[in-house]
Amino acid sequence: ETGVTQTPRHLVMGMTNKKSLKCEQHLGHNAMYWYKQSAKKPLELMFVYNFKEQTENNSVPSRFSPECPNSSHLFLHLHTLQPEDSALYLCASSQIPGTVRQPQHFGDGTRLSIL
Amino acid sequence: DQQVKQNSPSLSVQEGRISILNCDYTNSMFDYFLWYKKYPAEGPTFLISISSIKDKNEDGRFTVFLNKSAKHLSLHIVPSQPGDSAVYFCAASEGTGNQFYFGTGTSLTVIP
């Protein structure tokens, strides 16, 4: 496998459920990201991990809990979500910016629907 | 407040003609800019980038222009093809940070 793989592609859950989104990258990158994309809004950065250490948490509610066990895997644990959390959740990876700037590479996303 | 703006939600162009997608930004510290293309049910795919030390970068049919004084960048696609029909996002970042700021996207339709 190559690139950035996200599972599941679609998820429907109730507000009291607990579920997890998974992301895996096969690009040898050392930074991983979670984004939220809602309709008519720009991609919103949620979390950043550099060398599996969290470096950014953009005021994300605690009902979203990220986990990065290594530089290739990233999880987003979900619990007690609200209907407004329904969105496309995108994972991305990149090299940590240094002297050479490089783009982020995205997975195909998980379409999340909260009932 | 959005730091990267794409003011045209949609654009239609005839096949073979030029497509011009625009993007404006407010943060003068941004020094790296990218364009992504997104098909339905897929994630954004990196298309082309430009650093602030340049004002133009070309890759095949795709050219990105950067006007730093106007805080404006544009993506030119020549000639446009039906397979170019997608949503195009511009993004920007600053310094050595790995936070990218995205626009809301422009949906391009290339009419055969």
Side-chain angles (χ1 to χ4, degrees), chain B residues 8 12 18 27-28 47 57 59 73 75 77 79 81 84 86 98 100 110:
Chain B
S8 298
S12 290
I18 183 172
N27 187 343
S28 58
L47 199 55
N57 189 26
D59 183 1
L73 68 156
L75 175 68
I77 307 173
Q81 299 173 355
D84 296 329
N98 52 1
F100 285 80
V110 179

Side-chain angles (χ1 to χ4, degrees), chain A residues 9 31 33 35 37 40-43 45 48 50 56 58 88 90 97 101-104 106-108, chain B residues 2 31-32 34 36 38 41-46 89 93-100 102-104:
Chain A
R9 292 295 312 276
Y33 313 79
Y35 284 89
Q37 186 180 25
K40 310 285 187 204
K41 288 188 176 181
L43 270 70
L45 181 66
V48 180
N50 289 340
E56 294 279 347
N58 281 358
L88 180 68
L90 289 161
R101 307 295 290 278
Q102 296 187 15
Q104 296 177 355
F106 285 84
D108 288 337
Chain B
Q2 266 185 260
D31 61 356
Y32 182 56
L34 310 92
Y36 284 86
K38 185 180 183 302
E42 294 184 13
T45 303
F46 169 68
F89 294 95
S93 72
E94 168 190 346
T96 56
N98 52 1
Q99 180 156 349
F100 285 80
F102 285 80
T104 50

Side-chain angles (χ1 to χ4, degrees), chain B:
Chain B
D1 191 32
Q2 266 185 260
Q3 298 191 55
V4 176
K5 296 180 183 179
Q6 293 176 258
N7 292 318
S8 298
S10 62
L11 174 68
S12 290
V13 171
Q14 285 291 135
E15 181 178 3
R17 307 294 288 268
I18 183 172
S19 294
I20 300 177
L21 297 106
N22 294 304
C23 180
D24 297 294
Y25 60 96
T26 57
N27 187 343
S28 58
M29 300 300 291
F30 286 151
D31 61 356
Y32 182 56
F33 304 87
L34 310 92
W35 284 95
Y36 284 86
K37 175 180 178 179
K38 185 180 183 302
Y39 292 119
E42 294 184 13
T45 303
F46 169 68
L47 199 55
I48 192 168
S49 64
I50 189 167
S51 123
S52 59
I53 61 173
K54 293 185 171 184
D55 54 20
K56 175 182 173 181
N57 189 26
E58 194 171 350
D59 183 1
R61 297 185 296 114
F62 302 91
T63 303
V64 56
F65 294 93
L66 176 62
N67 182 334
K68 290 184 287 292
S69 60
K71 295 193 186 70
H72 177 84
L73 68 156
S74 60
L75 175 68
H76 292 212
I77 307 173
V78 182
S80 301
Q81 299 173 355
D84 296 329
S85 298
V87 178
Y88 290 79
F89 294 95
C90 66
S93 72
E94 168 190 346
T96 56
N98 52 1
Q99 180 156 349
F100 285 80
Y101 297 87
F102 285 80
T104 50
T106 296
S107 177
L108 173 66
T109 302
V110 179
I111 303 163

